[in-house]
Amino acid sequence: MIPSAILESALYVTDLNAAEHFYTDVLGLTLLGKVDGRHLFFRCGPGVLLVFNAEATKIPPAPDAKLKVPPHGAVGEGHLCFAASAAEIDGWRTHLQAKKIAIESEFEWPQGGRSIYIRDPSGNSIEFAEPRIWGL
């Protein structure tokens, strides 16, 4: 058996309100679900981006919980990369500059393809890259 795709990816943040603003108003993702103080779920193409309050997800579920999701979390700056064509990367650069979001890094990969990097409000590294950087 081999997994066919990644269905969801998670980032951990310290400020859910700032994250909600960033991922909806800056990146344009659609909010699918939200539990105040715990998480935000966003649609991204065929997948889902989960944004968690890192402290809230460390708490194990109650014995009588309907959803017995095991505790999880991460400390420090995470990373997520969104796929973008060369033209889309140019569009993202313009859009992010208009939104006053600093581009931390931009470069061409030796194997071909470009990436730009920004930070979300919690310091997570957010990348936009051409899929060909992975031969896709």
Side-chain angles (χ1 to χ4, degrees):
M1 294 295 300
I2 298 173
S4 62
I6 294 174
L7 177 62
E8 57 190 38
S9 296
L11 288 174
Y12 297 87
V13 301
T14 55
D15 183 336
L16 284 172
N17 290 330
E20 183 174 0
H21 167 73
F22 179 81
Y23 288 99
T24 57
D25 297 342
V26 175
L27 297 191
L29 297 180
T30 301
L31 185 66
L32 291 177
K34 165 181 181 174
V35 171
D36 287 335
R38 188 175 191 285
H39 66 252
L40 304 163
F41 296 161
F42 298 95
R43 165 73 59 216
C44 184
V48 178
L49 171 60
L50 311 175
V51 177
F52 291 105
N53 170 342
E55 291 303 312
T57 57
K58 292 179 184 176
I59 301 166
D64 61 343
K66 287 183 184 179
L67 301 173
K68 296 186 184 289
V69 176
H72 53 84
V75 176
E77 300 165 342
H79 173 70
L80 184 72
C81 180
F82 294 106
S85 68
E88 288 169 333
I89 289 173
D90 292 337
W92 277 112
R93 184 186 320 98
T94 301
H95 173 76
L96 294 165
Q97 289 170 340
K99 294 282 190 176
K100 306 276 191 258
I101 304 295
I103 294 174
E104 183 176 33
S105 183
E106 179 173 0
F107 57 89
E108 291 264 347
W109 289 90
Q111 68 274 28
R114 284 186 300 151
S115 288
I116 59 173
Y117 291 82
I118 61 173
R119 294 282 170 172
D120 78 1
S122 290
N124 290 303
S125 176
I126 306 299
E127 178 183 7
F128 296 85
E130 293 180 72
R132 67 188 178 124
I133 71 170
W134 290 107
L136 302 175

